[in-house]
């Protein structure tokens, strides 16, 4: 694999494309109602689909 360094000139364009209220949007996110202190629904969903990407056959309800 031939990796290349991204030109630093692109950083300013990238920073301009980020919405000014991005942090506020992240701060306003809430977990699913079925989540508890020891169980996050969204984390479990992400884990299942990550496993599927890796080729493991795991169902969401497992």
């Amino acid at each position: 694999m031939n990796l290349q360094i991204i030109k630093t000139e692109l950083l300013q364009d990238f920073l301009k494309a980020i919405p000014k209220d991005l942090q506020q949007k992240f701060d306003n996110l809430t977990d699913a109602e079925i989540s508890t202190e020891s169980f996050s629904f969204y984390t479990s969903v992400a884990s299942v689909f990550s496993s599927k990407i890796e080729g493991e056959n795991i169902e969401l309800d497992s």
Side-chain angles (χ1 to χ4, degrees):
M1 181 182 302
N2 187 11
L3 301 177
Q4 297 178 2
I5 296 176
I6 298 174
K7 295 182 172 138
T8 57
E9 295 87 32
L10 298 174
L11 179 60
Q12 292 306 314
D13 290 335
F14 173 76
L15 293 174
K16 289 177 189 173
I18 297 174
K20 301 290 184 213
D21 63 342
L22 183 62
Q23 184 62 52
Q24 181 181 359
K25 289 179 180 179
F26 273 105
D27 293 342
N28 290 337
L29 292 173
T30 58
D31 209 344
E33 288 183 23
I34 66 169
S35 296
T36 65
E37 210 172 290
S38 61
F39 171 80
S40 170
F41 174 75
Y42 294 122
T43 301
S44 65
V45 170
S47 299
V48 167
F49 284 99
S50 175
S51 296
K52 287 182 179 262
I53 290 170
E54 295 170 3
E56 296 295 324
N57 190 15
I58 298 175
E59 294 302 320
L60 184 56
D61 60 354
S62 63

